[in-house]
């Protein structure tokens, strides 16, 4: 009966070897994070990138950190400057770095030091096709993912594109740490439902913290 009202009880869960789901762990920081996101997008505006094949992502993206992820006709890569403004990407807020490092440590990745934070914004219908995150050299490091706002279904598969996917509901304040033996597993996000959340209106935001290069670079 309570499950009908509150949804299934949610606690930390291992999704795959090296991948851990930490529901609700960012709830106490989510309002502050949204304020900081708005400051970041004031200097590094959201944009819809093109895939190397010439299609456009339905998700709007920007970055903060020493490196930012980009996609265009020449491919996927990380760069230190925002091609829209020509400026360095804004810094990752200090509180985000300590939080991402703490989440990684909780999952067993105590040495994680993020260089890049990709910021994704989903409106109704926006989706992320099944993909691997493999534009990083530092594959011994995990990715730390924070979801804010409207809930979505995260799709996670396995080492091959045709591995069956599991659908995991990601709500505001949920964190996934993704590394180790599942670091290169296929994953995506199902089309966002038309819904609203008090923190973000019609949008879902996702932050992914990444280490790109090895060894250390400032
Ligand atoms: C998203 N996330 O949740 C897209 N990748 O909006 C990702 O593509 C992702 O959440 C690697 C690890 C965690 C992720
Ligand atoms: Fe990804």
């Amino acid at each position: 009966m309570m499950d009908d009202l509150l949804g299934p009880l949610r606690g930390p869960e291992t999704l795959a070897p090296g991948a851990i789901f930490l529901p609700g762990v960012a709830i106490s920081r989510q309002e502050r994070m949204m304020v900081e996101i708005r400051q970041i997008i004031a200097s590094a505006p959201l944009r819809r990138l093109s895939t190397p094949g010439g299609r456009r992502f339905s998700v709007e993206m920007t970055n903060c950190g020493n490196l930012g992820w980009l996609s265009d006709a020449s491919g996927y890569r990380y760069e230190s400057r925002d091609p829209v403004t020509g400026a360095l990407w804004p810094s990752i807020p200090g509180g985000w770095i300590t939080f991402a490092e703490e989440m990684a440590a909780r999952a067993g990745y105590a040495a994680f030091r993020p260089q890049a934070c990709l910021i994704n914004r989903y409106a109704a219908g926006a989706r992320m096709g099944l993909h691997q995150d493999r534009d990083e050299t530092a594959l011994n490091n995990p990715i730390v993912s924070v979801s804010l706002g409207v809930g979505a279904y995260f799709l996670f598969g396995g080492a091959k594109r045709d591995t069956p996917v599991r659908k995991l509901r990601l709500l505001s304040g949920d964190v996934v740490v993704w590394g180790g033996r599942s670091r290169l597993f296929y994953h995506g996000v199902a089309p966002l439902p038309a819904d609203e959340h008090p923190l973000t209106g019609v949008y879902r935001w996702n932050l992914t913290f990444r280490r790109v290069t090895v060894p250390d670079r400032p």
Side-chain angles (χ1 to χ4, degrees), residues 122-126 150-153 169 189-196 201-204:
Y122 295 71
V150 171
Y153 281 100
R169 184 120 177 97
V189 178
L192 195 77
D195 197 355
E196 284 196 45
V202 300
Y203 297 111
R204 170 180 185 257

Side-chain angles (χ1 to χ4, degrees), residues 106-179:
R106 198 181 287 193
Y109 307 100
F112 178 63
R113 297 292 178 270
Q115 290 171 304
C117 177
L118 175 62
I119 299 173
N120 289 155
R121 186 175 80 169
Y122 295 71
R127 58 188 290 277
M128 181 80 69
L130 273 191
H131 67 279
Q132 295 170 294
D133 287 22
R134 57 172 188 193
D135 304 312
E136 304 78 25
T137 309
L139 290 174
N140 56 328
N141 282 265
I143 291 176
V144 175
S145 163
V146 181
S147 294
L148 298 167
V150 171
Y153 281 100
F154 190 59
L155 312 171
F156 72 94
K160 299 185 174 167
R161 182 177 289 282
D162 60 6
T163 308
V165 298
R166 173 176 161 190
K167 289 172 74 174
L168 177 73
R169 184 120 177 97
L170 290 184
L171 302 178
S172 195
D174 288 354
V175 169
V176 178
V177 183
W178 189 274

